[in-house]
Amino acid sequence: MKVKSIRGFRDILPEEIKRWHFIEEKCRKIFEKYGFSEIRIPILEQTDIYTSGLGDTSDIVSKEMYTFEDRDGTSITLRPEGTAGVVRSFIENSMGKKSPVNKLYYSGMMFRHERPQKGRYRGFNQMGAECFGSESAYCDADIISMLWSIFSELELNNHVKLEINSIGTSEDRAKFREELVNYFEPQKDNLCDDCKRKLDTNPLRILDCKVETCLTTIGKAPSILDFLSIDSKNHFEKIKFLLEKIDIPFTVNPKIVRGLDYYTDTVFELTTDKLGSQNAVGAGGRYDVLVKQLGGPDTPAVGFAIGLERLILLHEQVFPEEYRQNVDIYVASLGEKALNEGIYISNILRKQGLNVEYGFDKKSFKSQLKRANKINAKYTIIIGEDELDRNVFKLRNMKLSEEKEYSLDEIENFINLIS
RNA sequence: GUGGGUGUAGCUCAGCUUGGUUAGAGCACCUGGUUGUGGCCCAGGAGGCCGCCGGUUCAAGUCCGGUCAUCCACCCCA
């Protein structure tokens, strides 16, 4: 039998994992800086939380979910995104009653049955944050600031672009939608086939069509921003004011409409021109009606998610140097007796907090040093018959190619010898 | 779901146009050049169902058909 990972799923190998750790750690730190706490939620949920939460006309729900029957016949789905599950948990645990505001972040694998491509996998990792309980524009701005600060902390802010928009309330959008149809209907012959279809199903999505012939028609189309209610307009103005005040560069793009139905008012996207066509590396927005829609108390919320594979890809391009595991000591022993001593010494050093590779195979001294070199060990400890007889070990500084001898008794305070 | 590119050593790739001895290179790996000293250099070694199935042919890595995988783009999205 031929073994092979499932299409669209991949391994993250040891040589790449250090960069993952580095980036995940940075993200965690920033989430916590903004007062968010981690939540871990299941990978499987009942299908309805997605169908009724994300909107059943969205591509994700209509053709990309991994949905199957549980043994008792209920329909369950591998999570295609994080927000719906966090909302479910928020409701189920009555978080709104325990605290007026709840700030949660999560990290984990999401599943969408898409055609794999660069930066797009069927199993992919997201880190995201959700803030429940505030409808204030200050909250939106704080969240956007958090997203931005992840990228500036990683020194990637020069390679991404923040775009924001407001899509108003559902009434605003209904009005806008009507106007859009009125606008496009008479000139639908100028639109591509996809857009003609969208005219019936989801006219807002025509706005982000990239087909050239559509672009001129779209250019003169009405803007959502002219349809916002007073409250939504003020909310949006306030966010823009705050982002300027804290020096976060952004542009307003009235054509941003999110793919999921739960968004209200604020939406935003972080894109890069370095990843080909999968250019969205983070995105989010406000979703004031979702909690209620899923059966919870009327609770406003804002959140975003970052695509980790894409973030890593971007980081690799900007900082191509390798991220390596750090090995402090390689213990090279020569001969049976020395091997016995080697495992003992290695463990003492590990207790002192060092990363130690113990050469446990009977290999030539030369190949052991080669190994030490290859794994980039800072020091090699050398013990052979000769050293054992004299109750000493040699310590070789790999970078300087210098060796010193120490009494074996000094192993107990080894950390002092090299610091 | 649609279109295009690519499948040869662990990795990156040459060879295919114009079929013909034993399928190559670089990197990585192993051994030696040094009785117990890494990186550089030198010598040697190991490693291939040439993606898979079928066809054409005296003969297929090379030509043809199919299939699968993969990458990129459309689309969608993080």
Side-chain angles (χ1 to χ4, degrees), chain A residues 157-283:
Chain A
N157 48 336
N158 292 329
H159 306 277
V160 292
K161 171 172 95 175
L162 173 66
E163 293 180 308
I164 64 171
N165 190 26
S166 174
I167 56 170
T169 62
S170 56
E171 295 82 55
D172 298 341
R173 252 168 295 139
K175 248 190 292 164
F176 176 57
R177 187 189 156 119
E178 217 174 290
E179 276 309 306
L180 266 190
V181 175
N182 288 342
Y183 170 82
F184 282 120
E185 191 66 42
Q187 40 185 335
K188 80 200 256 188
D189 292 341
N190 299 336
L191 297 172
C192 68
D193 290 349
D194 270 343
C195 286
K196 280 180 195 144
R197 196 168 32 79
K198 286 183 204 160
L199 199 48
D200 295 325
T201 56
N202 195 349
L204 302 212
R205 294 215 66 91
I206 296 176
L207 295 177
D208 60 11
C209 180
K210 285 152 207 144
V211 176
E212 195 148 338
T213 51
C214 294
L215 287 176
T216 48
T217 316
I218 293 167
K220 294 176 199 124
S223 164
I224 178 78
L225 295 175
D226 297 327
F227 290 80
L228 298 184
S229 60
I230 296 288
D231 285 350
S232 289
K233 204 169 189 121
N234 288 341
H235 188 87
F236 192 47
E237 291 303 318
K238 184 81 189 183
I239 292 169
K240 291 195 285 185
F241 166 79
L242 291 169
L243 291 179
E244 273 162 24
K245 187 174 170 66
I246 55 179
D247 281 329
I248 291 177
F250 67 91
T251 54
V252 173
N253 179 355
K255 290 180 187 150
I256 296 182
V257 283
R258 313 286 22 262
L260 306 173
D261 284 359
Y262 53 60
Y263 289 106
T264 53
D265 286 318
T266 322
V267 291
F268 50 90
E269 266 182 23
L270 211 52
T271 54
T272 175
D273 55 10
K274 291 200 150 48
L275 296 184
S277 64
Q278 303 306 311
N279 62 351
V281 66

Side-chain angles (χ1 to χ4, degrees), chain A residues 344-355:
Chain A
Y344 173 74
I345 287 174
S346 298
N347 278 354
I348 292 178
L349 301 186
R350 288 168 182 147
K351 278 181 195 150
Q352 292 176 29
L354 295 165
N355 293 347

